Amino acid sequence: MNDDQLLRYSRHILLPEIGVEGQEAILASRVLVIGAGGLGSPAAMYLAAAGVGTVVLCDGDTVDLTNLQRQILHSAEGVGRLKVESGRDTLLRLNPQARIEPLAMRLEGAELDEQVAAADLVLDCSDNFATRHAINRACVRFRKPLVSGAAIRFDGQVSVFDLRRSDSPCYHCLFPEGQDVDEVRCAVMGVFAPLTGIIGATQAAEALKLLIGCGTSLDGRLLLLDGLAMEWRSVLLGRDPACEVCAGRDD
Ligand SMILES: [Zn+2]
């Protein structure tokens, strides 16, 4: 680290759990953030501000006026622009040293595999089950830690699937495909603005902890937030030995 970096990240370096070594791990990392909306906004902003070396920001949408109530990567003058370009500009204003790679597409197939394989860690900030399951399959295949978040109405959830470990559940163990026919979308159901901030920031916290290797991650736990009562519940998750996505991956 140069003098500017030692100063910029000094409040991290002061923490014995992080220190110079932990900050260097953050600086050397490459994180894939899928979705530049309500969850991806705070998540990517904290990751870039905290010094993640490369943030790959992926989203095929453009900024809409209805996004601005919660998607704080974007501002009024960004309406109509690609979210990844609006987002890149915001992240570079926060931290000009960060490397931001915008991917203006819905990531799937070979491109999804390629990006997951190249990343140290993946944040699922998407808003639909098809994408969530595709991301999970790629993370299982390449054994990458997956930090998953969701927010709708006043309800949020967040978990970590540390797929580097053979005993960790995957997203499919928890939410098997086919049971998710009742997909609810923000556009229909509404979402409480700061809820996406709370969940997205929690995803960033878990991501940084995994990159540093400090503390205890949410691996094997699902946190559920009732934003109206402002109550968190923690549910233990186990691996489904019959899961059709992750069963037998350590054989
Ligand atoms: Zn599984």
Side-chain angles (χ1 to χ4, degrees):
M1 271 184 278
N2 57 35
D3 286 352
D4 180 75
Q5 289 172 312
L6 287 168
L7 203 56
R8 176 181 279 268
Y9 304 117
S10 56
R11 274 28 172 204
H12 257 178
I13 293 167
L14 280 169
L15 296 169
E17 293 82 357
I18 301 180
V20 169
E21 201 179 323
Q23 188 59 44
E24 280 177 342
I26 295 171
L27 288 165
S29 67
R30 178 184 177 93
V31 175
L32 174 61
V33 179
I34 300 176
L39 301 173
S41 285
M45 288 168 83
Y46 274 113
L47 294 177
V52 167
T54 304
V55 176
V56 183
L57 191 62
C58 184
D59 200 308
D61 290 345
T62 52
V63 180
D64 182 88
L65 183 59
T66 62
N67 300 150
L68 300 183
Q69 161 250 23
R70 64 197 178 284
Q71 300 185 14
I72 57 176
L73 261 180
H74 316 297
S75 47
E77 59 265 35
V79 170
R81 292 185 72 198
L82 282 167
K83 282 188 178 179
V84 290
E85 290 183 357
S86 159
R88 176 198 54 202
D89 292 353
T90 302
L91 297 177
L92 287 175
R93 273 197 300 275
L94 275 174
N95 189 348
Q97 295 168 355
R99 183 181 163 90
I100 312 298
E101 294 187 9
L103 283 179
M105 58 162 74
R106 183 169 175 163
L107 204 54
E108 52 194 1
E111 276 148 335
L112 174 62
D113 280 357
E114 189 182 315
Q115 287 300 330
V116 168
D120 295 304
L121 185 145
V122 179
L123 266 71
D124 182 354
C125 300
S126 71
D127 63 354
N128 67 86
F129 287 115
T131 301
R132 289 181 185 283
H133 282 294
I135 295 168
N136 178 61
R137 279 192 293 272
C139 288
V140 168
R141 192 172 309 132
F142 296 102
R143 306 196 74 138
K144 300 292 180 175
L146 168 61
V147 183
S148 176
I152 193 79
R153 294 178 293 236
F154 288 90
D155 301 318
Q157 62 184 43
V158 57
S159 189
V160 168
F161 305 96
D162 191 348
L163 299 161
R164 298 172 299 186
R165 300 167 50 102
S166 295
D167 57 344
S168 295
C170 81
Y171 182 80
H172 190 279
C173 293
L174 177 61
F175 300 108
E177 261 167 315
Q179 294 187 9
D180 42 36
V181 285
D182 294 332
E183 185 148 52
V184 286
R185 308 295 293 267
C186 294
V188 183
M189 305 303 297
V191 60
F192 187 47
L195 182 78
T196 57
I198 296 168
I199 300 296
T202 307
Q203 287 181 270
E206 289 300 295
L208 291 170
K209 283 165 53 193
L210 286 163
L211 293 171
I212 299 159
C214 74
T216 305
S217 84
L218 277 175
D219 186 38
R221 281 184 294 155
L222 174 68
L223 279 189
L224 298 160
L225 173 61
D226 172 349
L228 274 179
M230 203 48 82
E231 279 179 350
W232 291 90
R233 276 196 308 137
S234 180
V235 180
L236 291 179
L237 304 177
R239 188 175 166 193
D240 176 3
C243 174
E244 60 192 57
V245 172
C246 72
R249 71 179 191 264
D250 47 343
D251 298 342

